[in-house]
Amino acid sequence: MATAFSSLRGRLFALLFLALLLLALPLAFLSAREAERAASEDLRRALYTRLYLLGEEGPGEEEALLLELFRLAQVYGGGTGFVIGKEGVAFTEVPSPNLPPGLLEALAQGRTYQGVWRGVLYVALPREEGGFGLAVPLEGVAGLGRRLLLLYATWGGGVLLAIFLLSALGLAWALRPLGQLAKLLEARRPEDLSPLPDPGLAELRPLVWALNSRLVQVEGLLRELSEKEEAARRFARHASHELRNPLAALKGYLEVLLRKPEPRALTGALREAERMEALLSGLLRLSRLEATSPQLAPLDLRAFLERWGVEVEGEGQVLADPELLALAVENVLDNARRHGKLPLKARIQRDKEGVWLWLVDSGPGFPKDLLPRALEPFVHGGKGTGLGLALVAAVARAHGGRAWVENRGGAAVGLYLPLASLKVSPDAPFSQRG
């Protein structure tokens, strides 16, 4: 039973059967009661009419009247006639029934009496000497309801079963799109993220639309993961390549020093060691930066940048980590010293929910072939480690913003710092936009 009700089909069939029962049972009982009431009312009217006609015909003798009442009682399936005269009450049957309270009083006042007492219907009409009437048991009328209930239980049960089976077939047809959707999902390959077709059923469309939207999100997430995986592989290749070069040079210088003391070899070895130290330091900074959350605090950009002696144009208040932002400014300054030209100028521009901080040096700008990849790790113009601007981009992402590079008379590095909560994942892939 638990297995049957664990499916939508089983629950709907059970609800359908329950609904039919709730409809049929009250209808059967109400029909039986209404049939009994209608039969009793029809019997009362028929008795009254026949007694009235009998009174109009006027059989004067009491014995003749009793005989007519006896015949009339037989017509209605049995009963007892009675005549009320000066000498008392005469009945057509022995033993005679008791008359209901109020009957004699009604006849004495010249009124007709109609009523049911102890399962017997009494109808009596007044006359000069008293009155006359019939007492007919209602057993046949009461049995009508039982016969109707029995009829409902047999023929009605069969009709109810037929209705249930037909309704079940219709319900199964209505639920067919659910089965088709289940088969379609079972037949799909795990890597198939194409949208599901229209189910053809209005109630299923919201479900299919929700599934399709999730499929689009999953596809985007997988694409993003693939891009991040490719970026991580590219980063590992570049890191190994960048570290291999100074290691090879360092090994060569050391081999020279093994043969004979050579000041130039010693100087070259120290230079390559420093280069390796700078690379490892930059990689360590980059990994730490992307693994920690910034300590955000309100920051006045103009006052913050003037500490470095940078000429600032514009004003802006942001939520930023002063230490991380200082790291970005230092790397832009170092990049300007190595590849461009000082002085460095800053421009602050409000943009919707954030602020653009542009740092522009006085040099010739980025080479065109280098510009699209300037924010990627290990991309440099022949000097340095190629991690400076990658750290700047990582700082921007850590704040929920982004970085951008372009030429504005000199090399321009822009950081977008939102005023609200983080909106860009700190481990988003590197690009020109950071």
Side-chain angles (χ1 to χ4, degrees):
M1 184 65 67
T3 303
F5 287 109
S6 62
S7 67
L8 178 61
R9 188 187 302 272
R11 293 181 182 183
L12 289 177
F13 283 171
L15 289 175
L16 173 62
F17 184 73
L18 181 62
L20 290 175
L21 282 182
L22 292 177
L23 176 65
L25 291 179
L27 184 61
F29 283 105
L30 290 175
S31 299
R33 288 189 58 186
E34 183 61 22
E36 289 181 359
R37 189 197 65 79
S40 176
E41 184 66 19
D42 289 344
L43 179 60
R44 183 192 64 78
R45 290 178 181 177
L47 288 178
Y48 177 81
T49 302
R50 296 300 295 271
L51 289 176
Y52 178 80
L53 293 175
L54 183 61
E56 290 294 321
E57 293 174 358
E61 297 291 336
E62 182 175 318
E63 293 183 359
L65 183 56
L66 284 173
L67 181 60
E68 291 296 330
L69 289 174
F70 175 78
R71 292 174 179 173
L72 187 59
Q74 300 308 310
V75 172
Y76 289 99
T80 303
F82 56 89
V83 177
I84 303 170
K86 295 179 180 179
E87 298 179 358
V89 182
F91 293 92
T92 61
E93 297 286 343
V94 177
S96 58
N98 295 324
L99 296 179
L103 186 147
L104 296 178
E105 289 80 357
L107 295 179
Q109 296 174 5
R111 293 184 291 105
T112 300
Y113 180 87
Q114 302 178 42
V116 179
W117 187 59
R118 295 181 179 177
V120 179
L121 174 63
Y122 289 86
V123 178
L125 275 68
R127 60 182 306 206
E128 295 179 359
E129 294 82 4
F132 64 97
L134 280 174
V136 178
L138 294 177
E139 294 177 355
V141 175
L144 176 62
R146 290 192 296 272
R147 292 194 298 274
L148 282 176
L149 289 177
L150 180 61
L151 185 64
Y152 273 117
T154 54
W155 289 96
V159 173
L160 183 66
L161 180 60
I163 293 175
F164 174 76
L165 292 177
L166 290 175
S167 301
L169 290 175
L171 191 59
W173 172 82
L175 292 175
R176 187 180 301 172
L178 274 176
Q180 293 174 347
L181 180 61
K183 291 180 180 178
L184 178 63
L185 290 174
E186 290 177 359
R188 287 169 72 95
R189 299 187 305 276
E191 64 273 11
D192 185 3
L193 298 178
S194 60
L196 296 172
D198 189 338
L201 196 63
E203 289 76 10
L204 277 182
R205 285 195 182 99
L207 174 62
V208 172
W209 290 342
L211 286 175
N212 285 338
S213 65
R214 293 299 180 188
L215 288 175
V216 171
Q217 293 176 3
V218 170
E219 186 178 12
L221 179 60
L222 291 177
R223 188 184 304 110
E224 183 180 352
L225 289 175
S226 177
E227 292 175 354
K228 289 182 178 179
E229 183 181 4
E230 178 60 30
R233 290 176 180 175
R234 188 167 57 249
F235 181 85
R237 289 196 303 269
H238 289 320
S240 62
H241 176 73
E242 292 294 328
L243 288 171
R244 190 181 297 114
N245 289 338
L247 273 175
L250 179 60
K251 182 180 179 182
Y253 286 131
L254 291 175
E255 289 175 351
V256 171
L257 289 173
L258 282 175
R259 292 194 297 267
K260 61 177 180 178
E262 177 62 48
R264 288 182 299 177
L266 182 59
T267 303
L270 290 174
R271 183 176 64 251
E272 297 301 328
E274 291 174 354
R275 182 181 174 191
M276 285 184 60
E277 183 182 11
L279 274 170
L280 292 174
S281 176
L283 290 173
L284 184 60
R285 275 187 172 183
L286 193 59
S287 62
R288 286 179 177 176
L289 181 59
E290 294 181 346
T292 58
S293 299
Q295 302 298 317
L296 300 178
L299 187 66
D300 185 343
L301 284 179
R302 172 178 281 275
F304 177 78
L305 292 170
E306 286 177 348
R307 300 175 188 174
W308 280 271
V310 177
E311 181 183 344
V312 183
E313 178 184 341
E315 295 183 355
Q317 297 281 338
V318 295
L319 289 175
D321 187 324
E323 293 184 5
L324 293 184
L325 197 56
L327 176 63
V329 175
E330 288 173 358
N331 277 276
V332 174
L333 279 169
D334 184 65
N335 192 73
R337 294 189 193 99
R338 290 176 180 271
H339 307 287
K341 184 180 178 181
L342 296 176
L344 191 69
K345 298 181 180 179
R347 183 179 297 111
I348 302 172
Q349 297 176 345
R350 295 294 300 271
D351 184 7
K352 297 180 180 178
E353 298 180 357
V355 171
W356 275 105
L357 170 59
W358 288 99
L359 299 172
V360 186
D361 67 13
S362 303
F366 292 101
K368 291 184 178 180
D369 59 339
L370 194 67
L371 190 60
R373 300 182 298 113
L375 294 174
E376 296 182 11
F378 310 114
V379 174
H380 52 77
K383 300 178 183 179
T385 61
L387 295 176
L389 294 185
L391 284 169
V392 174
V395 169
R397 289 196 304 276
H399 285 83
R402 58 187 183 274
W404 184 262
V405 291
E406 61 185 38
N407 290 323
R408 294 189 174 187
V413 179
L415 289 87
Y416 181 74
L417 304 175
L419 298 178
S421 60
L422 299 184
K423 297 182 180 179
V424 178
S425 175
D427 55 353
F430 292 97
S431 67
Q432 186 183 357
R433 293 184 179 273

